[in-house]
Amino acid sequence: MLTITQALVDQIVAHARKDHPDEACGVVAGPAGSDRPERFIPMLNAAMSPTFYEFDSGDLLRLYRDMDDRDEEPVVIYHSHTATEAYPSRTDISYANEPGAHYVLVSTADTDGAGEFQFRSFRIVEGEVTEEEVRVVEAY
């Protein structure tokens, strides 16, 4: 289960809406070993595409060095889908290389009639996708 604050959910959704119609992407870092997302880090979609996202390699290197300096790890890796449901694509699955991370997808397309966005979380380990419950809290 992913436990995340409402403030972080709001920041992730706002980033997805701001970058629409391109996919948004980013990380929420947390203390190493805690599984607690704390620090919101929006990233640039280097692909600048409505159907694909890619972290800039230089930005990603700086991010990992910064997290290492702070004794953090990527707790949440998020991106948006602009025209499809919030479910990992084959490309998303093939690029998922953080087995301990929660992969959050936000869809800015109303694909299910449930409203203006979907917010879902998945574990992706060795190509296996497992959806998990999302518990939104006011604070930890």
Side-chain angles (χ1 to χ4, degrees):
M1 172 176 24
L2 169 62
T3 301
I4 188 168
T5 64
Q6 183 66 58
L8 286 168
V9 169
D10 292 347
Q11 287 178 297
I12 291 168
V13 171
H15 184 202
R17 287 183 174 145
K18 180 177 82 61
D19 282 11
H20 187 90
D22 290 338
E23 290 192 2
C25 57
V27 172
V28 183
S34 72
D35 197 39
R36 190 176 64 231
E38 292 184 351
R39 187 166 63 100
F40 175 70
I41 307 160
M43 302 284 285
L44 172 69
N45 178 355
M48 295 186 158
S49 167
T51 59
F52 179 73
Y53 83 98
E54 181 178 31
F55 292 119
D56 176 82
S57 59
D59 289 348
L60 199 56
L61 180 60
R62 282 187 290 281
L63 169 64
Y64 272 83
R65 284 182 176 158
D66 184 46
M67 286 190 299
D68 193 46
D69 289 347
R70 295 169 175 254
D71 197 27
E72 293 176 328
E73 62 189 5
V75 177
V76 169
I77 298 171
Y78 73 88
H79 77 280
S80 62
H81 283 180
T82 61
T84 59
E85 72 173 319
Y87 190 86
S89 69
R90 284 191 299 272
T91 303
D92 297 338
I93 295 165
S94 70
Y95 286 154
N97 61 2
E98 288 286 350
H102 302 270
Y103 285 88
V104 165
L105 277 98
V106 175
S107 176
T108 54
D110 184 4
T111 58
D112 61 1
E116 57 194 68
F117 72 91
Q118 297 172 341
F119 187 101
R120 298 167 72 184
S121 184
F122 303 87
R123 294 290 191 155
I124 305 174
V125 179
E126 295 180 8
E128 289 292 317
V129 178
T130 306
E131 186 165 7
E132 63 183 350
E133 180 183 343
V134 176
R135 184 169 68 111
V136 180
V137 297
E138 287 306 312
Y140 302 121

